[in-house]
Structures are given as C-alpha cells and as structure tokens.
Amino acid sequence: MKPNNVILQTVTQVAVFIIFTFSIYLFMNGHHNPGGGFIGGLSTAAAIVLLYLSFGIEKVRENIRIDYKKLAAVGVFIAVGTGLAGVIFGQPFLTQIFGHVQLPIFGDTELASALVFDTGVALAVIGTAVNIILSICEDR
Amino acid sequence: MSGSGEAVGAILILVGAIFSLISAIGGIRLPDVYTRSHAASKSSTLGVLCALVGTLLFFLISDGYFSIRLILGIFFVFLTAPVAAHVLCRSAYRNDVPLVGTAEDELKDYYMENENTDEDKEEVTENEAPAIKLIDNETPLQVSET
C-alpha cells in the first residue's frame, strides 16, 4: 500500500519536532514560569498521537517501541520514589530540596529535586493519555 | 519608547482583527464547503499571523523582550493551518459534498476510474499521484468560485 496523504505526513514530520521542543520547554520551565510536568506530558502525548494519526498505528508501533502501560507505571514509581527519598533522610514524605550547582555549560544552575517528581508526573501522563487513545481506537 | 511600540502593535493587531472579520464574513456569505474553506483558511491565517507579529513587535519595542514562543507560534500556525484546510476539503470531497456553481469537476473522472480499477473499492489504496493532483485541481476551483 503506497502513501496517499503525502502533505499530512510531510507537515507532521516538521510539526512533531516543534511540539516536542515546546513540550520540553514547558517541562523545564515549570518551576518559575507556567508549565510543568502535566502540561509537558500532555503536549508530548499530543505529538505522539499526531504521529499515530498521520502514519498509522502499525508503522509508529514498529518505530517507537514503548509500552505505554509500563511507561505510566515507571512514572508513578519515580514520583513515589522521590517522596520516599525524603523519608530515608529523616524528613517528612515528599520533602523536596533545591540547591545551586555549577554545571559545565550552563554555569550556576538552580536544580530542584521537584524536577524528578515532575519527570515522574510527565511519564505517567504520557503513558496514560497515549494508552487511552490507543485502546479506544484499536477496539473496532 | 513605549509609544512607538504601542503604535506598531496596535496597527498590526487591528489589521489582524480586520482580516479575521473578513474571514468570518466569507464563512457566512460563500455558498460552498470549498469556497468557505478558501475564506476560512487563508484570511484567518493571515489575521492570526498579523496579531502575533503585532504582539511580538510590541513586547520587543516597548519591553525589549524577545519572545521565542511567539516566533514558534507564528511558524506553527503558518505551517499547519493550510494543511488543516487541505485535509478538511479532501475529506469533504471524498464524502461527495457537492460543488456549487459552474465548476467543472475534473477530479471526479479521475476518482471514478481509479475506483473502478480497485476491486475492493478501498479509497486508501492509491499511489502518490492523486494526492499531488488533488491540490492542482482544487486550486482553480476555489479561485473560479470567488
């Protein structure tokens, strides 16, 4: 079967990169600006769903080999793990710390352990959203 | 300093709003799905682009803040809005939405012969040529309607 939606696929190849970039931007800016793990995860899921829409389920599944159920589970484990890390050091559950770190390229950077929690939230959101849409559209 | 930024931003946003209004009037006045899509895609895209460029220049001149998100939004709207109109028109044509007016339907002959060659009449099995030919045949139809 040869492709018949050339325009849609070509534009999707460009637009998906823009959406991924913007979702990473939203994800990293969540501490001081609007954004965060939930929005970043949702826009990443939107890019993945756009790929599924224009290229078909089978082709994307061959190229992105991610089990989204496991991805959601890993996200929840990361989020709970950051909470338990506070318990290990004798603090209350979900205690977050932050500090200033000298990174090679970025210089003085403020890193917070809430970023790890946000990573867990983002992975859970991506896994849940894509899994919902895939299980709806496969059940014909 | 801030007066010139406000003037530039206000003029561009006003132009964008006027284009959006023209697009909305075209959506009411035009008779057909394809001509409405012509009105709704082109002029509303231009309206949104004018408003975004006006906002970008306003913040750039008056505050000295260069918003990369607005650049990204301008590029994204410019990229995706015509494709959305193309996909809408194409699905409308494939669901036999009628053309209004004097338009000669050159695409119909092509689709009929293409469907007769397919045994199972599956519209997905086509080569790359119809997708490109679809645009070439749609564009004079829209122009002749207006």
Side-chain angles (χ1 to χ4, degrees):
Chain A
M1 182 185 297
K2 289 183 180 175
N4 65 336
N5 42 7
V6 185
I7 298 173
L8 185 61
Q9 290 184 354
T10 311
V11 171
T12 303
Q13 289 172 0
V14 182
V16 158
F17 274 102
I18 298 176
I19 303 173
F20 274 139
T21 312
F22 187 64
S23 63
I24 290 173
Y25 169 82
L26 280 175
F27 174 70
M28 299 303 282
N29 267 12
H31 204 69
H32 295 295
N33 292 110
F38 189 76
I39 294 293
L42 264 189
S43 51
T44 310
I48 295 173
V49 169
L50 180 63
L51 278 178
Y52 274 111
L53 270 179
S54 61
F55 286 99
I57 289 180
E58 293 303 323
K59 197 172 176 184
V60 180
R61 179 173 291 155
E62 285 176 6
N63 289 299
I64 304 177
R65 298 176 174 274
I66 296 174
D67 189 356
Y68 292 101
K69 296 187 185 76
K70 286 176 187 166
L71 191 69
V74 166
V76 173
F77 268 118
I78 289 173
V80 175
T82 57
L84 289 180
V87 176
I88 290 173
F89 290 107
Q91 301 287 325
F93 185 63
L94 279 177
T95 303
Q96 307 286 342
I97 56 166
F98 73 98
H100 291 268
V101 183
Q102 287 288 340
L103 288 181
I105 299 172
F106 301 103
D108 188 16
T109 313
E110 181 184 356
L111 284 182
S113 67
L115 186 67
V116 185
F117 182 75
D118 258 358
T119 310
V121 172
L123 290 183
V125 169
I126 293 170
T128 311
V130 178
N131 195 19
I132 285 172
I133 292 175
L134 280 186
S135 54
I136 286 173
C137 69
E138 274 177 321
D139 191 12
R140 298 182 186 178
Chain B
M1 190 66 183
S2 91
S4 64
E6 282 180 4
V8 170
I11 289 171
L12 274 172
I13 290 174
L14 183 65
V15 168
I18 290 172
F19 268 110
S20 300
L21 179 66
I22 290 172
S23 164
I25 293 172
I28 297 173
R29 294 282 298 172
L30 290 174
D32 192 344
V33 172
Y34 309 102
T35 51
R36 278 177 194 160
S37 159
H38 166 77
S41 66
K42 286 183 181 61
S43 50
S44 68
T45 305
L46 187 59
V48 170
L49 288 186
C50 281
L52 286 180
V53 170
T55 316
L56 177 75
L57 288 179
F58 172 73
F59 282 115
L60 186 61
I61 294 173
S62 68
D63 289 352
Y65 175 68
F66 185 76
S67 172
I68 196 67
R69 279 169 289 179
L70 280 171
I71 295 281
L72 210 61
I74 289 167
F75 183 63
F76 195 74
V77 169
F78 194 63
L79 186 72
T80 54
V83 180
H86 161 72
V87 172
L88 279 177
C89 268
R90 188 175 151 135
S91 65
Y93 188 84
R94 291 194 168 195
N95 286 309
D96 295 330
V97 175
L99 298 168
V100 171
T102 64
E104 68 273 19
D105 200 353
E106 295 178 17
L107 194 57
K108 190 169 188 174
D109 304 334
Y110 194 82
Y111 268 115
M112 290 303 287
E113 100 185 28
N114 207 22
E115 282 188 5
N116 288 335
T117 53
D118 289 342
E119 274 82 21
D120 49 355
K121 299 209 171 188
E122 200 174 294
E123 285 186 343
V124 196
T125 58
E126 285 167 3
N127 45 15
E128 286 186 22
I132 297 168
K133 202 158 184 161
L134 189 62
I135 323 167
D136 290 343
N137 288 334
E138 251 182 11
T139 318
L141 287 185
Q142 291 180 349
V143 171
S144 68
E145 281 293 324
T146 56

